[in-house]
Structure formats: C-alpha cells, structure tokens
Amino acid sequence: MTIIRRAAGVAVGVAAAVLSAACSTLPVTGEVQTRPDAALGSNDAAPFFEPAGPVSGADRDTVVRGFLLAVQANPPTTSVARSFLSKRARVTWKPDHGTVVYDTSTLESSGSRVEARLAGAHRLDVRGRWLGGAEAELVTVPFTMVREDGEWRIDNPPRMLPVPTSYFRSLYEPYTLAFFDRTGEVLVPTRVYLPRGEQIASNLVRSLLAGPGGTLERAAESAFPPGTGLDLAVVIDEDGVAEVPLDPEIRELSPPDLYRAVVQLAWALRQVPGINSLRISVDGAVLPLVNGRTEVGLDEGREFDPVPADTEDVVAVVGGRVVYLRGSESTPVAGPFGQPGFALRSVARSVSRNQFAAVAANGRRLFVAPGSGSPDEDRVRTAVDGATNLLAPSYDRYGALWVVDATPQGAVVRRVVGSVERVVQIPGISGRRISSFTVTRDGAYFVAGLADAATVLVSDLVRDDGGQVRRATPAQAVLIQVAGRGPVIDLAQAAETSVSVLMRSASDDYEVAVVEIDGSPGDPDLPDWDPLPERAVTLLDGPDPDLAVLALAPNGRLYELIPGGSWRQVLSGVRAAAYPQ
C-alpha cells in the first residue's frame, strides 16, 4: 500500500507553552550552543520584532497595550515587557502559571485599575499542555496601575502570560512528551506547544521535568525524581550529542528508573533536528547511563512504545472468513476465524494476546477466538450475547476487549477480560448516542464519536499498577471545528495524540478530519484530503506513521489515501476491516 506519512515528531503548529523566565521557556538571554541556529530550527516563519518600551506621559490604557504588545517579542523575551512594570513588580514578576492565547482584546479603565478582556481565549499550563478542550472562553485580566516618577506602571502583572493567537501561529510548534503509565511498561504521549528556535531542546527537557501534571497524573507518572531541574541549558556539540545537565537528584534513581528517565529524554530530544544521542551530566561530571555507557542513542526504549509491533497487516472479513490483507493479497488467519462460513460485521485483533474478536452480522453477539492452533469451531467463544447493536470492538494494550452496545436508550460500554464481562460506566459517554469508539494504543483514553453531533468525547482510563481499570473520568467534549461537518460516522486513532474522524458534510460528501484528543489545534499544516468517492462506514488509521489511511464503503470497496490527498480503490469484497491493536 502507498503510505502517507503523517506528523511524527515535529509539526508546525499553533498554540502555546509557558513563557516564564523563571520556568525558562521564555528566555531573557540565549542558551549556549556550538551548532548554528539553522540546524536546530529558527524563527524564520515570523519576522524579527523588538517592541518599544514605555512612552513618556502615556496614560494607563496605553501602558497596558504596550505591555500586551511587548510580550510578542521575536525572539521571545520578557525584557521589554518588564519595562512597563513597577520597580517592585519588575523584580518579582514570574509568569509561571502558563499562557493565555486569545483572539482579540479590549480594555476598560476605572480609577487605578485597567481590565483587559481577552476574547476567544484558551489556557495552557506551565508545561505547554492545552487545557479545557476546544471551547474558547472570555478571560478577564485585571491590571493595577501605580505612579512612579510621574509615569503609570503595572504593579500586578498576570502570572499567566497573555499572547494573541497570531503570535503562536507564527512562533510555536506542537511537540510530544511521554510519561510512563502506572505499570511502568508503556509510554503515554501527551501534546505540548513550545516556541521553535535554538532553545527548543532545553524547553522540551524543562517541560518534561515538570512532570505530567493535571489530569494526566491520573494515568501517567515521570521517572524523574520530583523537583529535578535542568542546570542552565542543553548543549549540543558538533557531533549531535546533546548534554543534559541535571540537578543532583537524578543520582538517587535506581538503574531501572534511570533507564526509564533516559527513555523519556530520548523520546523528547529525537524531535530536535541535529541531535543524534544524549548524555546526562551532574555538576559537570558525566553520569553513567545504560550498561555503564555515558552516551546513548535516541532509539532507546522501543520496548515501551505504545504502538505494538506487527500492526501493519489489515485484519478483514472477506468471503465469510477473517484474513490478513497485504496489499491486494489476502491470507486466512490462523485459528478458527480463518475458516469460511462466518457471518460477521466487524473484527479486531489483539497483538499482545494473539486473539481475535468479531461481532455477528446481526450485531447481537461478540465472539472471541485464538489466532493460532486448531481451527476447530468449538474454540470460538461467545463473550457478549443478547446485545442490541454492538459497535466494532477495540482491544487495549493489556489485552482487555472493549465493546459498545448502541441501544435505543444509549450506549452501554462493556469490557471483557478473559471470561469475565462487565459493564463500565463512563460519565458523559454511557447513555449517549455513540456511533464509534476506540481505546488509544497506550491504554490511557477511551475516545467515542457522537452519532448526532460533530463531537468527539474523551475519557481518561484510570488504572492501577497492574494495568486494571479502576474508573473512567467524565468525558470531555471536543467539538470538531470544521464548517459544514455532520455527526461522526467512525473514528480511529491517528497520530500519538489525535484521532481521524469520518463525517458526512452538508454537501453529502464523506470526509475525514484529524482531531487532537485534548481539543488543541494540532498541526495546521496537515494537507487537506479530498472527499471519499462514495459513502463510507469504516475508517482505518493508526499512530504508526507507516500505516496507510483506509476507508471502507458499505458495498465492500476499500479505499486508500494516497499522496496528494486523493483516494483510490485497492480492493473489493471486504465486509469489515481494522488495524491490529
């Protein structure tokens, strides 16, 4: 199959990150580098901008407007913005509570107070993580003004730095950080937004050291000891070796935990062009890392990758049996489902368990069978019976099988582990009209599409140290902000932090959109994809960038997305299809 490689690692984007000089993602001075800026990325997408300082005799509103403009300096710096502050605030100001990204601003003055009203605003935390989903809000920022030497100055600058959306569109990119799930066996990726440029290596490490934070702490944890900080900056030599100087706390880690910390660093730094390997130093001394080595490559930790191996072949129902599709060739799977005679409407495969699950053609039963050994039909077990309308099932990386019964009263979520099947209550999803769902490859999120709105619902799956789900958090709604798109027909995990969503447009076309599961803007440079040639009911995608995007029509035609964004038919006679999980 022809492959469209999607954003893996660095993608040009819009959103935000911490601009705090104290937390250090907005520098006052540049970091030391031995490599030219161009090798590590630059601010070529936005023009140089050095804002002016305060004007003598300026009124209160003008001073506040000057401050809001000054934080838009390129290269990013707070030095000019501080000149609009009182002498006291100039020294103490630490915009270390994150960032507010807004569309427009208006000011209202009363006495010694100026209030900035930021419309179309979104918040980001200290790590650069998007908060609050896709819904914009009105954020009010109060400024208390004081007179110093006859001039108005700001005495209470905000702890969250306010910057306009246009600034982020030109200066910021989405990156991915990874933390470990509660079992310590898999990485949980998360999206952050940081300014591009020569300090990106240091900014990524600082964001990583801040830990998962927020709701992510329910699903993931860092291998680094709490409070571990970056000493000055990451330095990259001419051979592409990144030296990461850390606080002495890193020495407290056991060898396994130190290895996990190295894996997290490698995952982050592999996104920076020009870096080939890394080492850690403490107080100028290089720290022994993996097997006594002091320098490791950026491919460390592949065993923790949330995308399992052996996921390239499509699993499909063709001719009444389950097969692997390799290009235009099909091969029956081993085990019972590889035999003809089954009437099935959907299928799934667990890589870790080498097990298949399939829904009966009438949608009332869910069957499971091993993917090896005897083809005897008596090895097929009924996992769910007497349902109303079972959606396509999904395995998580722990081998649990998830399925949703789309009843007239709303969705009933079921989870099957071994021979035990039980209902899982997911607030905001259970009881709703759900058209499709998936469990992300890291096992951290349950993502569902609404059958009556252009909306994706995302719930965190809170697990214990053994990987068992203890509860599901109330689902957050992520609105698909594309004009003319109708309800969700199907969805599939796309990149590490996003899903592809199949919808019907107002013009009756069937189209695919990519949506970040945290509601953030994601990668605006993703190419537009043409509408599908006909109605489609199933979408195939995966976080492995080598996987093709596929769509299945009700008449059995399987389409593939090809370079340029158009679709071509690759097979016919396909009843159902899915990528292994």
Side-chain angles (χ1 to χ4, degrees), residues 395-417:
Y395 281 99
D396 67 26
R397 66 171 294 105
Y398 303 96
L401 175 60
W402 297 77
V403 69
V404 171
D405 189 5
T407 75
Q409 294 74 38
V412 178
V413 182
R414 301 177 185 271
R415 180 170 176 261
V416 180
V417 180

Side-chain angles (χ1 to χ4, degrees), residues 381-383 416-421:
R381 179 173 60 85
T382 301
V416 180
V417 180
S419 60
V420 179
E421 176 257 324

